[in-house]
Amino acid sequence: MNNKSQSEFARLEIERKLVFGELDTSTLYSENKLASLLNLGRTPVREALLKLEYDNMLKVHPRKGIEFLTITPEQQIQMLEVRRQIEPICLRFAILRGTASQKSAMLRLGDKIVLCSEDGDEEGILQCLQDIHTLVADSTGNPYFHNTMEQVQSLSRRFWFANKEESDNLKGSLIHRVIMRAVAFGNEEEAVEGSHNLMSHLTEAAFRKIIAKG
C-alpha cells in the first residue's frame, strides 16, 4: 500500500475497531499505541487521525492522548438532516457520471450487503456500507461530495451500529440494495425515494434511543 492508501486503511480500521468495541472511548490513546494496534507506521496513522479529528470522531488532548468521541442521538438526527438534503443530489450525479464499472460494483454491493445481513455478518455489513458510501461519492466525479459526505456518514454509521436492533440489519440492507440498483439502472426517482426511506429508517432508530433514555 502507498502512504495514501495506508492512511485510508487506518481511518476505516479505526472506525471498525470503534464500532466493534476494540477501542475504548473512555481511554486515551497515543499515536504509538494506535500505530501498534493497526500494525502501521506513525505517518499514515497521524494522517488518519487528522482526518478523523476533522470529522469530529476524536479529540486530541495535547501531551495526554487521543480521545474517541461518543455520538448522541441528537447529533445523529442533526447529521441525518444534512444527509437527507445532500445524498439525493449525490445520487443524481452518480447516475449521470458513474462509469459502467462503478455501476456494476453498485449492483454487486447491493446484493452483498443483503447476503451479509441474512448471514448475520456484522463486519461484512460495515465493510459494505463503507464501500457503498465511498463508491457513490466517487461516482459523482466531484471530490467535494466525497469530503462532505464522508464526514457525516462515518459518524452516522457508528451511531447506527451502536444502537440498532437486529431487525434493522435486513431492513437497512434492503433499502441500500434498492438505492444501488436504482443508481445503476439510472432510475433517479427510485434512487431519491430510497434515500428518503433510508433517512427515515435511520431517524426512527435515533428517536428510539431518545425515547429509551426517557
Side-chain angles (χ1 to χ4, degrees):
M1 288 188 291
N2 60 35
N3 201 55
K4 182 176 180 180
S5 61
Q6 282 187 335
S7 64
E8 178 65 5
F9 169 81
R11 185 184 68 80
L12 294 174
E13 182 63 7
I14 287 170
E15 179 186 347
R16 187 194 67 78
K17 287 181 177 296
L18 285 167
V19 164
F20 296 112
E22 296 175 27
L23 290 173
D24 185 354
T25 55
S26 66
T27 298
L28 296 181
Y29 291 85
S30 67
E31 269 188 21
N32 285 338
K33 176 65 174 177
L34 290 169
S36 176
L37 288 172
L38 298 170
N39 196 28
L40 290 171
R42 288 182 62 185
T43 298
V45 171
R46 184 179 300 116
E47 291 174 354
L49 292 173
L50 286 171
K51 180 67 174 65
L52 291 169
E53 184 177 25
Y54 175 78
D55 290 345
N56 298 309
M57 190 84 78
L58 61 85
K59 182 176 178 60
V60 177
H61 298 274
R63 295 181 297 279
K64 292 183 179 180
I66 297 152
E67 175 190 10
F68 291 104
L69 304 175
T70 57
I71 306 159
T72 68
E74 291 78 11
Q75 287 173 312
Q76 171 73 329
I77 290 169
Q78 288 175 331
M79 287 183 286
L80 293 174
E81 287 178 354
V82 175
R83 289 183 62 179
R84 186 180 289 273
Q85 299 303 314
I86 297 177
E87 284 193 23
I89 302 171
C90 191
L91 294 173
R92 291 188 185 104
F93 280 106
I95 289 171
L96 287 171
R97 297 174 179 165
T99 65
S101 175
Q102 287 170 326
K103 290 180 178 180
S104 293
M106 290 176 194
L107 292 175
R108 291 193 297 272
L109 280 170
D111 289 337
K112 184 177 179 181
I113 194 171
V114 172
L115 286 174
C116 288
S117 295
E118 292 173 341
D119 292 342
D121 181 359
E122 296 278 329
E123 294 211 14
I125 295 170
L126 175 61
Q127 181 69 62
C128 285
L129 287 174
Q130 291 173 333
D131 290 346
I132 285 170
H133 290 158
T134 298
L135 179 59
V136 171
D138 287 348
S139 297
T140 67
N142 185 332
Y144 296 102
F145 274 121
H146 184 88
N147 295 337
T148 301
M149 295 311 302
E150 191 175 79
Q151 183 175 23
V152 289
Q153 285 173 332
S154 58
L155 288 168
S156 188
R157 287 193 298 261
R158 269 190 64 202
F159 180 90
W160 185 76
F161 267 93
N163 296 283
K164 65 182 175 64
E165 297 178 350
E166 186 175 350
S167 62
D168 290 333
N169 281 345
L170 187 57
K171 183 175 182 180
S173 295
L174 288 170
I175 296 173
H176 276 96
R177 184 168 68 180
V178 167
I179 295 170
M180 290 299 93
R181 289 181 174 180
V183 174
F185 295 128
N187 190 330
E188 180 180 321
E189 183 178 348
E190 189 172 337
V192 171
E193 181 182 2
S195 177
H196 289 323
N197 289 340
L198 180 62
M199 295 308 108
S200 295
H201 166 64
L202 297 175
T203 302
E204 178 185 327
F207 275 113
R208 276 203 313 257
K209 186 66 175 178
I210 291 174
I211 292 168
K213 290 196 308 182

